[in-house]
Amino acid sequence: MHPLVERLRGTLLPAVVTPMDQDGVVAYDALSAYAVTLTKQAIGGVAVWAHTGRGLYLSPGDRAKVLETWRTATDVPIVAGVGIPRDRSAQTLQEAADATVEMARAAAAGGADAVMVYPLAALGELEDGHAQAVALHERVAAESGLPLVGFYLHGEAGGYPYSPALIRDLLSLDAMLGVKTATLDRAIGCQDAIWAGRGTGKLLITGEDRMYGPSFMWGADTALVGIASAQVELSAAVLRAWTAGAHSEFLAASERLDRFAAATFYAPIEGYVQRMLWAAEWEGLVPAAAAYDPYGPSLPPSERELVIRCLEELH
């Protein structure tokens, strides 16, 4: 078993935001300050280049500099999301796999400790998609030299439902640390995915911002979530109480987390990144000039007001 499994088990890894201006220019001074502040909190690692950080939208140079900034700021494990960059044309599955592997190699070169592999949604429609998905993970591990996190991502974010059999086969790979579920609102799919990993010894990672507390009750033992990019303690308190068996504290902490999740994770789901940035701004984690998500939908002022009102009530 890879030593990172036990190092990360029971910990929280925020899927961090990338501070940008309204034109999509990364604000590196703001990023440096954010990284220093966030890594002083109760976390076991961070996830960069993930959906929350718009990793697939960044240029190769910006991805490298974002990773360098986090690597300079902390010695906690860094997991980098790898997939098909939005500026990279991938007409075939081979090209898609090549792009994913190339991004994983860049993560390794930049000092990442592990990679989280974005699913190739097209594989979900193929008769041999299961075998191809396993082969992709094997290739990423072999060519990057890094351990992996599998990623069951809901379709609205470009993924597809991993079957329990696929999850078990992925977790059987020596390089695999665990599988993260991000099923959005599909409770049965989340349950089945977590249950498929029981008994493997690998990490059962929740990415379920809207089913955060329940996912621990279903067996998740580690968290990698976008909601922690702006609310570390709100997220950590739930995991800490569950791990300690403090069930009344867990229920109270989970209720608080759920209130914030309801104010930030709803249709249009792609808007959650901007809502996290508003929350990070309110918390003083990023300045207003760097709290933009130029890649998401345009949101009305009322949504910002909802996020702020929720935070004011929670504090």
Side-chain angles (χ1 to χ4, degrees), residues 2 6 13-15 23 57 78-79 91 173 199 244 257 270 281:
H2 195 283
E6 290 311 317
L13 292 83
D23 296 318
Y57 290 88
I78 296 177
V79 179
Q91 302 299 322
L173 301 178
L257 185 284
E270 277 294 295
E281 176 194 347

Side-chain angles (χ1 to χ4, degrees), residues 78-125:
I78 296 177
V79 179
V82 299
I84 310 167
R86 293 294 187 263
D87 63 356
R88 175 77 175 264
S89 177
Q91 302 299 322
T92 68
L93 283 171
Q94 182 64 50
E95 290 172 339
D98 290 345
T100 300
V101 170
E102 182 180 323
M103 199 168 166
R105 288 174 177 160
D113 298 283
V115 291
M116 179 175 68
V117 182
Y118 284 91
L120 300 183
L123 295 181
E125 305 298 323

Side-chain angles (χ1 to χ4, degrees), residues 177-287:
L177 301 176
V179 169
K180 167 186 167 171
T181 64
T183 66
L184 182 61
D185 57 5
R186 296 158 179 79
I188 293 174
C190 178
Q191 287 176 336
D192 288 349
I194 292 172
W195 292 345
R198 287 179 173 176
T200 65
K202 303 294 180 71
L203 299 175
L204 306 178
I205 307 168
T206 180
E208 305 290 357
D209 304 88
R210 285 303 300 263
M211 299 186 290
Y212 189 65
S215 67
F216 293 119
M217 291 188 280
W218 298 332
D221 58 20
T222 304
L224 194 166
V225 284
I227 207 164
S229 65
Q231 288 293 312
V232 171
E233 179 53 28
L234 202 62
S235 309
V238 181
L239 175 54
R240 187 168 58 242
W242 177 258
T243 303
H247 295 153
S248 61
E249 293 176 21
F250 168 76
L251 290 174
S254 188
E255 193 273 339
R256 287 170 55 80
L257 185 284
D258 286 345
R259 287 170 59 192
F260 180 62
T264 48
F265 284 82
Y266 57 89
I269 288 298
E270 277 294 295
Y272 92 85
V273 177
Q274 180 60 73
R275 299 176 195 122
M276 285 299 110
L277 284 160
W278 286 333
E281 176 194 347
W282 187 87
E283 287 285 343
L285 295 171
V286 300

Side-chain angles (χ1 to χ4, degrees), residues 39-206:
T39 52
K40 289 179 180 177
Q41 302 190 55
I43 62 174
V46 295
V48 304
W49 303 356
H51 203 82
T52 315
R54 294 303 192 196
L56 296 181
Y57 290 88
L58 300 176
S59 69
D62 276 331
R63 276 197 298 272
K65 194 167 181 180
V66 165
L67 177 53
E68 177 187 6
T69 300
W70 282 97
R71 188 72 288 167
T72 300
T74 184
D75 60 358
V76 300
I78 296 177
V79 179
V82 299
I84 310 167
R86 293 294 187 263
D87 63 356
R88 175 77 175 264
S89 177
Q91 302 299 322
T92 68
L93 283 171
Q94 182 64 50
E95 290 172 339
D98 290 345
T100 300
V101 170
E102 182 180 323
M103 199 168 166
R105 288 174 177 160
D113 298 283
V115 291
M116 179 175 68
V117 182
Y118 284 91
L120 300 183
L123 295 181
E125 305 298 323
L126 300 180
E127 188 174 338
D128 65 342
H130 179 128
Q132 287 201 48
V134 174
L136 172 65
H137 286 76
E138 290 176 319
R139 184 182 168 199
V140 170
E143 297 196 32
S144 70
L146 293 177
L148 313 178
V149 171
F151 191 12
Y152 174 167
L153 179 64
H154 63 90
E156 291 177 46
Y160 71 95
Y162 282 3
S163 69
L166 176 54
I167 288 173
R168 285 191 291 270
D169 282 350
L170 290 176
L171 290 175
S172 73
L173 301 178
D174 290 341
M176 190 65 66
L177 301 176
V179 169
K180 167 186 167 171
T181 64
T183 66
L184 182 61
D185 57 5
R186 296 158 179 79
I188 293 174
C190 178
Q191 287 176 336
D192 288 349
I194 292 172
W195 292 345
R198 287 179 173 176
T200 65
K202 303 294 180 71
L203 299 175
L204 306 178
I205 307 168
T206 180

